Amino acid sequence: MTEIFFNRLRVILLDRDGVINHEPGPILNPEQFVMIPGSADAVARINSQGWKCFVITNQAAIARGDLNPDVFGQITDKMHRELQKSGAHIDGQYFCPHHPDWKNSRRLTSPVPCLCRKPGTQMLEQASSEHGFVQEEAVFFV
Ligand SMILES: [Zn+2]
């Protein structure tokens, strides 16, 4: 049964900022996290159709030192609460805390790229290996 389920697994990968919530700039605290009207309802429809839904997001403000990982967690909690109001949920979130020009709040003298920052594919690969889907299946990235 599991194999059949995984063979038919359909997946939607969503960016967070500008897709789920408004993106006036980096979101640095829960107050700045404001849902885009209709986005939670859209996720609820994804859920009800049996698609898995993951958030894949770059959060370079962490590398810059503008966003504490604990505060990022609070923002994530708010996202979950806002989604729940519409009966929606996501099945997981993957985020890249890096920026090639920054590390631990300091500007680097020469860039050090990571593998996870989009358009890098490491977050997608991690999601697919942890949740048993392959990109040849029905996977869409918004
Ligand atoms: Zn990264």
Side-chain angles (χ1 to χ4, degrees):
M1 280 303 279
T2 302
E3 273 186 23
I4 293 168
F5 175 72
F6 280 151
N7 284 342
R8 292 181 179 172
L9 193 56
R10 296 171 301 171
V11 177
I12 301 238
L13 306 171
L14 299 176
D15 198 354
R16 195 195 75 181
D17 300 332
V19 175
I20 291 176
N21 56 283
H22 287 292
E23 186 180 22
I27 305 301
L28 303 179
N29 58 58
E31 291 70 37
Q32 291 176 337
F33 184 92
V34 178
M35 297 289 283
I36 294 174
S39 68
D41 290 335
V43 173
R45 285 197 297 277
I46 291 168
N47 298 149
S48 68
Q49 295 300 310
W51 290 64
K52 294 282 182 187
C53 181
F54 299 97
V55 169
I56 309 276
T57 178
N58 288 343
Q59 294 295 324
I62 296 173
R64 289 196 180 92
D66 295 333
L67 176 58
N68 178 304
D70 292 340
V71 177
F72 176 73
Q74 295 167 14
I75 295 167
T76 300
D77 290 343
K78 182 173 183 182
M79 175 178 69
H80 288 310
R81 286 196 306 273
E82 293 291 326
L83 289 168
Q84 278 171 3
K85 290 179 188 171
S86 296
H89 71 274
I90 57 166
D91 296 288
Q93 173 175 258
Y94 295 86
F95 69 99
C96 165
H98 309 118
H99 188 281
D101 298 326
W102 292 85
K103 188 173 186 182
N104 299 331
S105 315
R106 294 199 158 157
R107 202 176 226 307
L108 301 173
T109 48
S110 57
V112 182
C114 67
L115 297 173
C116 42
R117 181 177 167 79
K118 292 177 293 179
T121 56
Q122 192 177 69
M123 290 190 285
L124 283 72
E125 288 156 14
Q126 190 180 352
S128 73
S129 74
E130 289 182 2
H131 296 278
F133 62 88
V134 293
Q135 293 177 29
E136 289 74 21
E137 292 175 309
V139 179
F140 298 91
F141 201 165
V142 180

